[in-house]
């Protein structure tokens, strides 16, 4: 996973200014490999559509992925015939490599790509790029899985596509609906910051870019599309699926360990009242309570399983101490990342040390409860012990949340000077406990589950 420095923070979203004469607003990239038959009709059809319907200057770039047939010659002839068409030859295969190369060198403020088979209805192209031109969104994707989309394809591809997107939702918490549709666009200023963090050079390139963009708080616009499957597609399904699963594992591991520097993508925010900080108003209390309860429920189940396992070869006090110690370390790590949104490894050791102090308090409560039970009953049953421990852990959980929020992961201290009534670009990131934490994400219908996704 790439961890090298990106070019800088994302700029504020603004409507693109009117382009000067000869400067294209949109650069549509068509990555191809051995497509000598389909390339010319594809480019001619796309060029005709853009000429008739697109109100800005445009460019079509053919990105040849080391083709071994006549594809480079077809691309060169098209570039010679049509002034809006250019071609770029790469000596290595890989759709992601082609897109990265062309997008990184393009001067157009909006970058897009589509598959050479033109499976997606071109009427969706203007709705795809319009939110990027207006400054409303950072990326846009065509979705074949939206309710209003009309899709014609075989049952095998339908099953694979839906299964893959379910895997992304379950493993990487992705919220976009269709990662594989070959119909996407991105603003160039966003691409310049995001692309250095994307490692894949093949088919997983799209998914990795979208996951990182979503985790960084970028706004992703989705467009329902009409899509007809290409029966002559040269994509090797099994090989592609295997590579995609490897990519999911790699990105998931990087996100879990905090090795991705997503905090570098901090964007200045606008005047949305939801992005303001008000003195004396707790930030994110309801969300933290929900996250803490979910982590606590799983931790309690984990603790009880450990206790039952340890109880088989040791006494109740020792089993309780061991189970509580292991589950406390896991609980602190989970709450650090999921409940309080602390990213990276900074302060992790200190947080665990403070968590162990909280663990000590919980140990006193639970051990005291066991001691009281043993004093009251000479030989208590196993079910009675578990019931007492559950009650004691509930009390310890309430105290643990209060200590986590006030001591281990406190909110940043308020500024000594009051914030202006309408801050131009309040910073969405702060330092909490020695690590970077995001206080308020971008919210819209495609990036925030609270808005009905």
């Amino acid at each position: 996973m790439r961890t090298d420095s990106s070019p800088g923070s994302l700029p504020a979203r603004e409507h693109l200014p009117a382009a000067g004469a000869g400067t294209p607003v949109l650069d549509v990239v068509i990555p191809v490999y051995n497509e000598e038959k389909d390339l010319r009709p594809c480019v001619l059809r796309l060029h005709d559509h853009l000429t008739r319907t697109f109100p800005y200057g445009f460019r079509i770039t053919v990105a040849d992925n080391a083709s071994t047939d006549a594809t480079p010659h077809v691309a060169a002839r098209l570039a010679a015939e049509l002034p809006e068409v250019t071609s770029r030859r790469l000596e290595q295969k890989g759709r992601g490599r082609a897109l990265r190369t062309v997008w990184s060198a393009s001067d157009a403020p909006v970058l897009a790509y589509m598959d050479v088979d033109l499976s997606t209805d071109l009427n969706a192209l203007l709705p795809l790029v319009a939110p990027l031109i207006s400054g409303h969104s950072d990326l846009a994707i065509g979705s074949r899985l939206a309710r209003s989309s009309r899709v014609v394809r075989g049952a095998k591809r339908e099953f694979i596509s839906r299964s893959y997107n379910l895997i992304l939702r379950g493993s990487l918490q992705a919220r976009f609906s269709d990662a594989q549709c070959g119909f996407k666009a991105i603003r160039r200023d966003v691409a310049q910051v995001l692309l250095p963090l994307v490692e894949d050079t093949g088919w997983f390139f799209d998914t990795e870019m979208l996951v990182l963009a979503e985790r960084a708080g970028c706004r992703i616009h989705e467009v329902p599309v009409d899509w007809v499957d290409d029966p002559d597609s040269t994509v090797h399904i099994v090989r592609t699926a295997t590579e995609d699963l490897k990519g999911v594992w790699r990105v998931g591991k990087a996100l879990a360990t905090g090795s991705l520097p997503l905090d570098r993508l901090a964007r200045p925010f606008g005047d949305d009242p939801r992005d303001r900080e008000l003195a004396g108003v707790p930030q994110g209390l309801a969300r933290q309570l929900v996250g803490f309860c979910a982590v606590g429920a799983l931790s309690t189940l984990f603790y009880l399983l450990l206790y039952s396992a340890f109880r088989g070869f040791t006494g109740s006090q020792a089993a309780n101490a061991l189970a509580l110690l292991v589950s406390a370390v896991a609980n602190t790590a989970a709450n650090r990342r999921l409940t309080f949104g602390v990213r990276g490894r900074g302060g992790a050791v200190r947080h665990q040390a403070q968590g162990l102090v909280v663990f000590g308090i919980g140990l006193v409560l639970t051990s005291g409860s066991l001691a009281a039970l043993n004093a009251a009953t000479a030989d208590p049953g196993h079910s009675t012990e578990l019931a007492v421990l559950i009650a004691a852990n509930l009390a310890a959980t309430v105290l643990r949340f209060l200590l986590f929020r006030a001591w281990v992961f406190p909110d940043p201290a308020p500024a000594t000077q009051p914030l202006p009534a309408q801050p131009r670009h309040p910073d969405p990131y702060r330092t909490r406990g020695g690590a970077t934490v995001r206080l308020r994400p971008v919210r819209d219908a495609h990036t925030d589950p609270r808005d009905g996704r």
Side-chain angles (χ1 to χ4, degrees):
M1 179 61 59
R2 296 173 182 267
T3 57
D4 52 309
S5 298
S6 56
S9 298
L10 293 174
R13 298 188 191 95
E14 294 180 356
H15 195 296
L16 294 177
T23 303
V25 169
L26 173 65
D27 191 348
V28 182
V29 181
I30 304 177
V32 291
Y33 173 73
N34 289 348
E35 296 288 354
E36 61 181 2
K37 177 182 177 181
D38 296 331
L39 179 57
R40 183 175 182 83
C42 163
V43 171
L44 293 178
R45 179 183 166 195
L46 176 60
H47 182 271
D48 176 69
H49 177 83
L50 288 172
T51 302
R52 290 185 296 102
T53 65
F54 194 68
Y56 300 94
F58 66 88
R59 178 192 300 130
I60 300 173
T61 302
V62 179
D64 176 35
N65 293 307
S67 293
T68 57
D69 62 0
T71 297
H73 303 290
V74 176
R77 286 197 299 270
L78 287 167
E81 295 174 14
L82 303 172
E84 294 84 5
V85 177
T86 62
S87 63
R88 180 72 179 268
R89 167 75 176 180
L90 285 82
E91 299 302 329
Q92 292 178 290
K93 292 178 60 177
R95 184 179 67 172
R97 178 180 288 107
L99 292 176
R100 184 202 309 280
T101 301
V102 177
W103 282 355
S104 299
S106 179
D107 59 350
V110 176
L111 311 168
Y113 95 88
M114 61 181 61
D115 294 334
V116 69
D117 54 21
L118 294 186
S119 295
T120 304
D121 182 12
L122 292 179
N123 288 326
L125 182 55
L126 185 55
L128 183 80
V129 301
L132 309 188
I133 295 174
S134 70
H136 174 271
S137 301
D138 302 301
L139 299 91
I141 64 174
S143 176
R144 299 163 296 184
L145 303 181
R147 289 188 176 182
S148 57
S149 298
R150 296 183 298 177
V151 177
V152 178
R153 62 177 167 182
K156 180 180 179 180
R157 285 183 175 269
E158 181 77 10
F159 174 78
I160 292 175
S161 178
R162 292 187 177 275
S163 298
Y164 180 63
N165 283 281
L166 285 176
I167 291 173
L168 293 181
R169 288 177 175 269
S171 59
L172 300 180
Q173 288 78 53
R175 300 301 179 188
F176 46 85
S177 66
D178 191 350
Q180 294 176 311
C181 183
F183 194 70
K184 296 181 176 69
I186 184 173
R187 286 177 62 107
R188 184 185 62 179
D189 51 9
V190 177
Q192 289 175 340
V193 180
L194 193 61
L195 291 183
L197 301 178
V198 180
E199 180 177 335
D200 192 78
T201 59
W203 293 97
F204 188 69
F205 174 88
D206 304 45
T207 301
E208 185 172 357
M209 180 181 67
L210 289 173
V211 169
L212 299 188
E214 191 173 63
R215 290 299 186 97
C218 294
R219 180 173 292 163
I220 301 175
H221 177 73
E222 296 197 10
V223 178
V225 297
D226 298 338
W227 195 88
V228 179
D229 190 17
D230 177 16
D232 299 324
S233 174
T234 58
V235 177
H236 193 288
I237 296 179
V238 176
R239 184 189 308 131
T240 301
T242 302
E243 294 300 321
D244 285 346
L245 292 177
K246 290 180 180 178
V248 170
W249 170 259
R250 173 175 54 80
V251 173
K253 181 180 178 181
L255 292 172
T257 59
S259 61
L260 276 170
L262 296 180
D263 56 296
R264 296 177 185 162
L265 303 182
R267 173 193 296 284
F269 282 66
D271 295 333
D272 192 327
R274 294 171 295 181
D275 297 325
R276 300 176 188 171
E277 293 181 54
L278 302 179
V281 178
Q283 298 292 320
L285 177 60
R287 181 188 60 79
Q288 290 177 359
L289 278 173
V290 172
F292 183 83
C293 290
V295 172
L298 294 175
S299 297
T300 300
L301 178 61
F302 183 49
Y303 161 80
L304 294 175
L305 293 174
L306 289 175
Y307 177 82
S308 298
F310 293 147
R311 190 66 176 86
F313 57 85
T314 187
S316 61
Q317 292 287 3
N320 173 64
L322 289 172
L324 196 57
L325 175 62
V326 176
S327 60
V329 172
N331 180 277
T332 300
N335 276 304
R336 181 179 188 270
R337 179 66 182 90
L338 303 177
T339 303
F340 297 97
V342 180
R343 293 172 173 168
R345 300 179 181 178
V349 175
R350 179 169 60 82
H351 292 158
Q352 283 292 349
Q354 291 173 313
L356 289 178
V357 174
V358 178
F359 149 75
I361 297 175
L363 180 61
V364 170
L365 286 175
T366 53
S367 297
S369 300
L370 284 175
L373 177 63
N374 290 327
T377 306
D379 187 21
H382 184 64
S383 59
T384 304
E385 284 185 349
L386 290 180
V388 169
L389 287 173
I390 291 174
N393 270 281
L394 287 176
T397 297
V398 175
L399 183 59
R400 185 182 304 119
F401 177 75
L402 297 176
L403 289 174
F404 272 176
R405 182 173 172 82
W407 179 46
V408 184
F409 308 109
D411 283 328
T416 56
Q417 297 295 329
L419 292 174
Q422 290 188 337
R424 175 61 179 170
H425 298 304
D427 187 357
Y429 287 89
R430 296 291 186 272
T431 299
R432 171 182 286 160
T436 302
V437 56
R438 178 129 194 198
L439 296 181
R440 182 78 62 177
V442 176
R443 297 194 290 179
D444 85 319
H446 296 287
T447 57
D448 196 316
R450 293 170 291 180
D451 292 327
R453 260 194 328 176

